[in-house]
């Protein structure tokens, strides 16, 4: 049971950081500073909203998302850990790991000298996590809210034996329409097409999406631009500590089968995900850490 008064007492910052039950009794940290507003759900360490001051919402949330313990939130930035996608050997295990299905603990809030706000959440191994994964670990999700939103997932191996994990910051970006989307920054990179089980190289400087897409781009550094010609927006997505970038849109047929997505939900978002998986799973020796980070900001382009 989360005690909101206790959280407030320990971690609220007047006029800047607060706590409350926002969606169906799930507890959120709300951040508001001179740069932006941001909501982070403690369930999953899940950023559900990032709105730079005087600007549009950057992230997309499904209007039919579950906000219920035991189910994943659809939209925002799901944290996938300690595996990305289906479990390697056991189809009964939750897709994308268990980190997005657990409450994280708040361990720090701070106003930085820049006026940005830092919020740090933590999930460490316990009897509950060991039902799914046998390893001792500590995961920290640091969210820094400024004109740029930085989300950083740091995993530390707190055991005496090495382990491997995969992970993703599975970000959903809002669009006027998928037809108006152009993603820049992937030209010349090879990718695995999960839907056709084949590999290819992206020749075009711009990726446009006209059908279901699940592509895992290898050896990618970023940054990327998500351009929306009707919103006249250019969202820049940069990353660090990640070698794979996944682009996902389910399109109509799959959307219709997903209970937490409207049938036409695919029309107004794209996922551009900061990933470590496949040939780039992370190996951690005892006491070693690795950080996977994503930096998201809006660039306003004036069209002639
Ligand atoms: O990252 C792409 C992907 O793994 C897709 O295959 C698709 O299933 C998507 O993530 C969403 O997964 P979820 O478990 O959140 O429905």
């Amino acid at each position: 049971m989360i005690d909101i008064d206790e959280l407030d007492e320990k971690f609220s910052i007047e006029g800047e950081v607060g706590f409350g039950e926002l969606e169906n009794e799930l507890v959120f940290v709300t951040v508001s500073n001179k740069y932006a507003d941001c909501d982070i759900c403690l369930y999953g360490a899940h950023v559900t909203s990032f709105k730079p001051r005087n600007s549009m919402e950057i992230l997309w949330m499904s209007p039919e998302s579950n906000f219920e313990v035991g189910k994943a939130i659809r939209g925002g930035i799901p944290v996938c850990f300690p595996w990305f996608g289906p479990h390697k050997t056991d189809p009964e295990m939750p897709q994308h790991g268990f980190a997005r299905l657990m409450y994280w603990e708040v361990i720090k809030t701070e106003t930085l000298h820049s006026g940005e706000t830092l919020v740090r959440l933590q999930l460490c191994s316990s009897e509950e996590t060991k039902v799914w994964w046998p390893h001792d670990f500590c995961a920290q999700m640091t969210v820094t809210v400024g004109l740029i939103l930085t989300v950083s997932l740091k995993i530390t191996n707190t055991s005496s034996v090495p382990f491997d994990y995969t992970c993703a910051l599975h970000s959903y970006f809002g669009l006027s329409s998928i037809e108006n989307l152009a993603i820049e920054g992937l030209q010349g990179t090879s990718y695995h097409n999960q839907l056709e089980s084949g590999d290819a190289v992206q020749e075009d400087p711009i990726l446009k999406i006209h059908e279901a897409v699940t592509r895992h781009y290898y050896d990618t550094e970023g940054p990327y631009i998500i351009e929306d010609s009707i919103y006249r927006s250019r969202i820049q997505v940069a990353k660090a500590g990640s070698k794979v970038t996944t682009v996902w849109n389910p399109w109509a047929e799959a959307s219709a089968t997903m209970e937490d997505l409207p049938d036409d939900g695919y029309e107004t978002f794209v996922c551009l995900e900061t990933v470590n998986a496949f040939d780039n799973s992370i190996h951690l020796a005892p006491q070693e850490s690795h950080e996977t980070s994503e930096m998201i900001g809006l660039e306003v382009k004036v069209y002639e």
Side-chain angles (χ1 to χ4, degrees):
M1 191 63 193
I2 296 179
D3 185 334
I4 292 184
D5 290 339
E6 194 182 318
L7 278 174
D8 258 327
E9 201 174 303
K10 278 193 185 160
F11 296 110
S12 67
I13 302 175
E14 208 185 331
E16 185 177 342
V17 177
F19 296 87
E21 288 178 357
L22 285 195
E23 298 275 2
N24 204 16
E25 298 178 11
L26 292 187
V27 179
F28 282 70
V29 192
T30 53
V31 176
S32 184
N33 60 29
K34 64 181 174 183
Y35 300 112
D37 295 324
C38 176
D39 297 333
I40 309 155
C41 187
L42 300 194
Y43 177 69
H46 198 128
V47 179
T48 58
S49 169
F50 171 55
K51 193 170 176 300
R53 190 79 36 235
N54 302 324
S55 180
M56 54 185 268
E57 172 65 57
I58 303 267
L59 302 175
W60 182 85
M61 275 301 304
S62 170
E64 295 179 7
S65 175
N66 292 301
F67 287 99
E68 194 184 321
V69 173
K71 294 188 172 172
I73 295 171
R74 173 78 59 206
I77 311 183
V79 176
C80 307
F81 170 80
W83 57 87
F84 173 64
H87 188 272
K88 262 193 179 162
T89 54
D90 186 349
E92 297 297 307
M93 292 284 195
Q95 151 109 334
H96 291 319
F98 52 79
R100 63 179 181 163
L101 302 174
M102 297 192 72
Y103 261 108
W104 293 51
E105 179 196 1
V106 182
I107 57 166
K108 185 174 184 172
T109 57
E110 185 184 357
T111 309
L112 304 179
H113 290 304
S114 57
E116 296 172 302
T117 309
L118 177 146
V119 176
R120 182 167 295 142
L121 308 179
Q122 180 167 279
L123 175 73
C124 294
S125 47
S126 63
E127 290 308 305
E128 207 183 339
T129 64
K130 286 186 182 173
V131 171
W132 287 310
W133 203 54
H135 304 290
D136 283 312
F137 70 91
C138 234
Q140 290 189 346
M141 176 74 167
T142 304
V143 180
T144 308
V145 182
L147 268 182
I148 291 173
L149 176 77
T150 303
V151 287
S152 196
L153 176 69
K154 180 180 177 184
I155 307 298
T156 303
N157 179 350
T158 54
S159 75
S160 52
V161 290
F163 64 65
D164 293 290
Y165 72 93
T166 58
C167 68
L169 301 165
H170 195 303
S171 324
Y172 289 70
F173 295 95
L175 304 170
S176 60
S177 163
I178 190 82
E179 306 292 327
N180 305 324
L181 166 71
I183 301 177
E184 298 171 15
L186 291 163
Q187 188 180 28
T189 52
S190 44
Y191 64 87
H192 175 69
N193 186 336
Q194 188 177 302
L195 302 179
E196 290 172 10
S197 295
D199 287 356
V201 174
Q202 177 158 326
E203 306 290 352
D204 292 337
I206 281 173
L207 173 65
K208 288 183 150 277
I209 296 181
H210 305 291
E211 59 188 350
V213 166
T214 310
R215 290 186 182 185
H216 307 291
Y217 288 86
Y218 301 134
D219 290 323
T220 51
E221 301 289 339
Y224 311 104
I225 295 285
I226 299 173
E227 181 174 272
D228 186 310
S229 55
I230 294 297
Y231 281 166
R232 300 184 169 205
S233 62
R234 287 167 60 84
I235 299 165
Q236 186 173 53
V237 184
K239 64 176 190 166
S242 150
K243 290 281 191 215
V244 175
T245 300
T246 295
V247 178
W248 179 62
N249 182 285
W251 216 252
E253 212 180 309
S255 280
T257 65
M258 296 165 79
E259 52 94 19
D260 57 354
L261 202 62
D263 288 356
D264 60 358
Y266 73 95
E267 288 178 359
T268 49
F269 79 86
V270 67
C271 282
L272 185 75
E273 308 164 32
T274 294
V275 178
N276 281 305
F278 314 109
D279 289 347
N280 287 297
S281 62
I282 306 292
H283 180 80
L284 289 183
Q287 308 316 314
E288 250 183 0
S289 299
H290 181 84
E291 215 158 345
T292 304
S293 307
E294 184 172 277
M295 287 72 81
I296 299 168
L298 187 64
E299 180 190 305
V300 177
K301 184 172 179 185
V302 180
Y303 286 71
E304 260 105 68

